[in-house]
Amino acid sequence: MKLIKNISVVFLLITLTSCGQETTFQEDVLTYIKSNGTAKQYNYAYDELLKMLGNQFPKTTENASGWDYLEANKEKHVDEILTQLAPVYEKNFTHEEIKKMNAFYQSEAGKQLVADGEKLTEDQKKEVNDFYGSEMGKTIVEKQPILATEIGKVSEGWSRDLYETALSMLK
C-alpha cells in the first residue's frame, strides 16, 4: 500500500512538473508576442475596426449596449488573438529560442525598435544588427514566410469573428 502511495506521489509530481513547464513556455511566448510589437498591432487593428464601425453605425440608444461592450472588451479580444497566436510560435520555435527573443525585445534596443525604430541610437542600431545577424536572428528571418502564413490564418479567423460579433451588436 505504501508503495502505491509513493508511486502516486511520483506520478503527481511528474504531471505537475510537466504541466508547469508547458505553462512557462506559453507564458514566455505570450511575453514575446506582447514585447515584439504584435500586441501593439492588434490593439491598433481593434481601434481601427471601431473607427470604421463608428462611421457605419454611429452610437444610438438602440446600439449603445453593443458599443459599450466593444469599448469595454478591447483587452479581452486582443488577449484572445494573442493566445490564439501562441501555438504558432510554440510550433515554430523552441522554448530556448523564445527566451533569446524575449531577452532581445526586453532590452533597450528591442524596446526602442518596437516603439520607434527611427529613433534608435547608433549603439542600439548595432545591437539590432548584431541580433538579426546572429543564429537566432537568422532563424527568425528564415521562418518569416511560414509564420506569416500561419499567423495570417489565425488573424483572419479572429478578425472575421470579431467583425461578425460587432455587426450583430450594432445593427
Side-chain angles (χ1 to χ4, degrees):
M1 192 64 160
K2 190 174 186 175
L3 179 62
I4 292 173
K5 277 186 174 179
N6 288 340
I7 290 173
S8 296
V9 169
V10 169
F11 280 120
L12 178 62
L13 289 174
I14 290 171
T15 302
L16 290 174
T17 303
S18 66
C19 288
Q21 289 173 346
E22 288 175 34
T23 302
T24 302
F25 186 23
Q26 185 179 33
E27 287 172 352
D28 286 344
V29 168
L30 289 171
T31 298
Y32 171 67
I33 292 170
K34 289 175 183 175
S35 64
N36 77 354
T38 301
K40 184 178 175 182
Q41 290 172 338
Y42 284 99
N43 275 295
Y44 178 78
Y46 194 94
D47 291 341
E48 290 300 304
L49 174 65
L50 292 188
K51 283 181 193 174
M52 180 191 76
L53 290 170
N55 292 332
Q56 290 179 312
F57 304 100
K59 195 172 191 175
T60 64
T61 52
E62 291 82 25
N63 67 15
S65 64
W67 275 110
D68 291 345
Y69 170 84
L70 292 169
E71 291 163 354
N73 286 282
K74 174 182 173 180
E75 186 177 340
K76 173 188 170 239
H77 288 288
V78 172
D79 284 346
E80 183 181 281
I81 183 61
L82 301 181
T83 300
Q84 291 173 11
L85 291 174
V88 172
Y89 288 91
E90 290 171 10
K91 183 172 106 178
N92 287 286
F93 296 101
T94 67
H95 194 177
E96 284 307 308
E97 289 171 328
I98 291 292
K99 287 179 182 180
K100 289 176 186 175
M101 291 154 57
N102 270 336
F104 170 72
Y105 279 101
Q106 291 174 4
S107 71
E108 290 307 312
K111 289 177 186 176
Q112 185 59 52
L113 179 64
V114 171
D116 185 352
E118 305 240 338
K119 293 183 179 176
L120 288 167
T121 66
E122 288 305 314
D123 287 343
Q124 289 172 333
K125 286 178 186 175
K126 181 182 180 330
E127 192 175 335
V128 170
N129 288 333
D130 288 349
F131 176 73
Y132 279 98
S134 72
E135 286 304 311
M136 185 69 257
K138 290 175 186 172
T139 299
I140 294 169
V141 171
E142 177 184 300
K143 292 187 179 189
Q144 280 303 324
I146 296 166
L147 290 171
T149 300
E150 293 180 18
I151 289 169
K153 289 177 186 173
V154 174
S155 294
E156 187 179 310
W158 173 79
S159 59
R160 181 185 56 247
D161 292 347
L162 180 59
Y163 184 72
E164 288 173 359
T165 298
L167 281 181
S168 71
M169 299 178 113
L170 300 177
K171 282 186 173 181

